[in-house]
Amino acid sequence: MKRAWVANVALICMLPVVAIWASMADEPFIITLATKVAILALAGVGLNMALGQGGLVSLGHAAFFGIGGYAMGILASHAQSYTPLLEWPMLIEGSNSMPVIWLLALVSSGLAALVIGALSLRTNGVYFIMITLAFGQMFYYFSISWPAYGGEDGLAIYMRNGFPGLNTLVPLHFFGLAFAVLLVALALATLIGRSPFGLALNAARQSSERVETAGIRPYRLQLTVFVLSGMVTGLAGALFADLNRFVSPSMFSWQTSGEIMVFVILGGVARLCGPLAGAALFILLEQLLGGISDYWHIFLGALLLLIILFARGGVMGLIAGPGERAHV
Amino acid sequence: MSEVILAAVGISKRFDALQASRDISLDLRRGEIHALIGPNGAGKSTLIQQIAGRLKPDAGRIVLEGRDVTALDTAERARLGIARTFQVSALAMEDTALQNVVLGVLGARGGAYRMWGNALARGSLRDRAEQAVARVGLTNMATTRASALSHGGRRQLEIAVALALDPKAFVMDEPMAGLGTSGSHDLTELLSGLRDEAPVLMVEHDMDAVFALADRISVLVSGEIIATGTVDEIRANSAVRRAYLGEEEGA
């Protein structure tokens, strides 16, 4: 347990150390990369709640990531063009304030997760994977065919949205913000993991019969975590859109769902910092190998294969040792 | 006659051509162990599943302490006090024995949706779980994962989880299955003491255990109860001997 704790703290500290170093060395691109890692890790932390703790293999988390992205895109594009979002039954203006955008991202991705989860959780195994994938694709094609917000071309937002007290255009400020959100999500995941809810959810993953005969409905436990999971990934989507100042249907694509899952598996399923390790490794490989060859995904695939065959606990399993989950 | 805690009243269940339960009426009274025996395929498991809530009967009612629970699902019946154990242990295998039992306490008392605080923190939740673990004699194994427990240990753990529910009635599907002689001896003693906490309805194939434990026995053959009575009455019943015991007793 001690080893896992040290590994987690070291990994978490690495990101701000890199960002601050890059800021002093005047390397804004590196800060942007660190920010990207923090945001993608956040998306992974969201998925890991459902996948790691709940055992729910969702291949549709791009839906929540994209909803978060479009929450930002839609609000900011109205603020940018000074047109109201809605005039009737009440006047709703666009917004370029991150707290407002985040609230919309959380609420809308949470609602979507509630609907998708309520239907998908009636199935399990490969059917669950397929249904979540299908929902993700529905959002993807909807976003392509919806001309009001850019359709296939997506939406460009010229100014990064603001946060009270910070200048989000300064790379280090925006990194700090994304990192702080990641920390909150990690704290939340820890809190849930050790709570009575976490215990019941983990039991439901292992034996739904056990939980049922103890008087608890597994469906409701799983739906609850699916909604939380979708909300966290949705928030990551809003931040990701703000990082790129651009939203497009690709956020909804099943490749996005797959990548978020790759972060989790690469880093270690059900490990607190698994998604962080996975996202960091992913971005690192993308930068290092992407420079060598356009086909760097081949190497990523090989690495993923090795991890799945020989290191089930992912990167965190190698660093932190086995059995983090036992200490719920 | 002492008070009826749990009753099946006129239960019928058909799967296509197979009549698995045929107008079954059965009651479980305070302080007793009621064994349900019968040859393979007699419909014992189907009956247990209808009592515990996994299957809905085509006709008839399940009554717990005077309340009709037929329309309720497994989880609701468990909260009302029907504690079921399984023939093949259903446990959270990666979790420790204590964690498994805490789950039972959570189910009985509510609070499975509380997302703060440590599930294993000192307090009434853990006290109750430790008490149940001690009751079945697993205190030394409380921090052992269920997967590392012996077969008998898992049986004991299942009973501890059931105890943690503060049940009105135990419903056990072959609690002795797969145990060696010494294992089943220990478990017989444990089960014998349980009837004072809540009556036990159990399906069991181990006839030594049944005759040692049961206050009453019901015999199920082809979905029908052909006899209910004390151990001596069942031994003496000629229909039972013909249909079931005959093979073993060598009439």
Side-chain angles (χ1 to χ4, degrees), chain B residues 227-246:
Chain B
T228 294
T230 62
V231 172
D232 291 336
E233 285 165 3
I234 293 297
R235 278 186 199 266
N237 186 307
S238 59
V240 174
R241 293 175 74 104
R242 260 198 316 280
Y244 183 59
L245 293 176

Side-chain angles (χ1 to χ4, degrees), chain A residues 60 73 118 129 140-141 151 161 177-178 195 203 207 231 239 271 273 280 310:
Chain A
I129 300 177
Y140 175 69
Y141 286 109
N161 296 295
L177 199 56
S195 71
S207 167
M231 288 169 80
L239 280 164
R271 300 287 179 147
C273 285
F310 301 112

Side-chain angles (χ1 to χ4, degrees), chain A residues 188 191-222 224-225 228 322-328, chain B residues 54 73-76 78-79 82-84 86 88 90-96 99-100 102-104 106-108 111-120 125 145 158 161-162 165:
Chain A
L188 190 73
L191 200 67
I192 289 177
R194 64 198 298 187
S195 71
F197 174 74
L199 185 132
L201 181 67
N202 265 293
R205 173 175 54 78
Q206 299 167 58
S207 167
S208 64
E209 240 172 5
R210 169 73 285 149
V211 175
E212 235 180 349
T213 39
I216 304 165
R217 286 202 186 88
Y219 177 81
R220 282 182 51 188
L221 291 170
Q222 289 164 346
T224 307
V225 82
L228 287 173
E324 187 184 312
R325 177 137 62 189
H327 307 281
V328 168
Chain B
R54 191 152 192 89
D73 67 17
T74 306
E76 287 166 321
R79 278 201 296 276
I82 297 182
R84 183 180 177 197
F86 292 88
V88 177
L91 293 164
M93 287 296 177
E94 293 168 23
D95 289 352
T96 65
Q99 285 172 323
N100 271 281
V102 164
L103 182 73
L106 279 175
Y113 291 89
R114 187 155 62 82
M115 296 192 190
W116 61 91
N118 190 330
L120 299 179
L125 194 67
R145 288 183 189 223
E158 278 223 34
V161 181
L165 283 167

Side-chain angles (χ1 to χ4, degrees), chain B:
Chain B
M1 190 172 103
S2 59
E3 183 192 356
V4 172
I5 302 294
L6 179 64
V9 185
I11 293 292
S12 289
K13 180 79 186 173
R14 171 181 282 280
F15 300 108
D16 296 325
L18 178 73
Q19 185 79 44
S21 307
R22 204 187 300 266
D23 195 25
I24 294 175
S25 291
L26 179 92
D27 59 25
L28 181 65
R29 299 173 192 163
R30 185 176 297 287
E32 77 167 345
I33 292 182
H34 190 151
L36 184 64
I37 65 172
N40 285 327
K44 303 186 294 291
S45 289
T46 307
L47 178 58
I48 289 288
Q49 290 189 41
Q50 292 175 91
I51 291 172
R54 191 152 192 89
L55 286 175
K56 292 259 179 287
D58 299 334
R61 292 176 297 131
I62 305 294
V63 181
L64 178 67
E65 289 194 314
R67 177 176 173 179
D68 188 337
V69 297
T70 321
L72 305 184
D73 67 17
T74 306
E76 287 166 321
R77 290 187 205 186
R79 278 201 296 276
L80 288 177
I82 297 182
R84 183 180 177 197
T85 70
F86 292 88
Q87 183 179 353
V88 177
S89 295
L91 293 164
M93 287 296 177
E94 293 168 23
D95 289 352
T96 65
L98 189 63
Q99 285 172 323
N100 271 281
V101 182
V102 164
L103 182 73
V105 186
L106 279 175
R109 297 189 178 177
Y113 291 89
R114 187 155 62 82
M115 296 192 190
W116 61 91
N118 190 330
L120 299 179
R122 298 263 153 220
S124 69
L125 194 67
R126 184 173 177 140
D127 289 347
R128 178 70 189 100
E130 283 181 340
Q131 202 184 331
V133 168
R135 175 73 179 78
V136 301
L138 277 180
T139 301
N140 293 332
M141 309 295 259
T143 56
T144 305
R145 288 183 189 223
S147 58
L149 289 177
S150 67
H151 188 78
R154 290 180 197 172
R155 288 276 117 129
Q156 286 163 279
L157 180 53
E158 278 223 34
I159 293 171
V161 181
L163 267 168
L165 283 167
D166 286 322
K168 305 276 173 29
F170 293 99
V171 176
M172 300 188 178
D173 199 351
E174 298 198 36
M176 302 287 178
L179 288 180
T181 323
S182 73
S184 71
H185 176 77
D186 293 347
L187 199 60
T188 305
E189 262 176 39
L190 175 61
L191 289 176
S192 182
L194 279 186
R195 72 186 111 193
D196 301 327
E197 278 150 78
V200 181
L201 175 66
M202 65 172 190
V203 168
E204 188 49 65
H205 276 303
D206 180 342
M207 282 305 153
D208 292 337
V210 168
F211 288 139
L213 280 170
D215 299 294
R216 284 192 303 153
I217 299 175
S218 288
V219 184
L220 193 65
V221 177
S222 305
E224 221 170 343
I225 291 199
I226 60 167
T228 294
T230 62
V231 172
D232 291 336
E233 285 165 3
I234 293 297
R235 278 186 199 266
N237 186 307
S238 59
V240 174
R241 293 175 74 104
R242 260 198 316 280
Y244 183 59
L245 293 176
E247 309 152 17
E248 289 180 15
E249 304 270 303

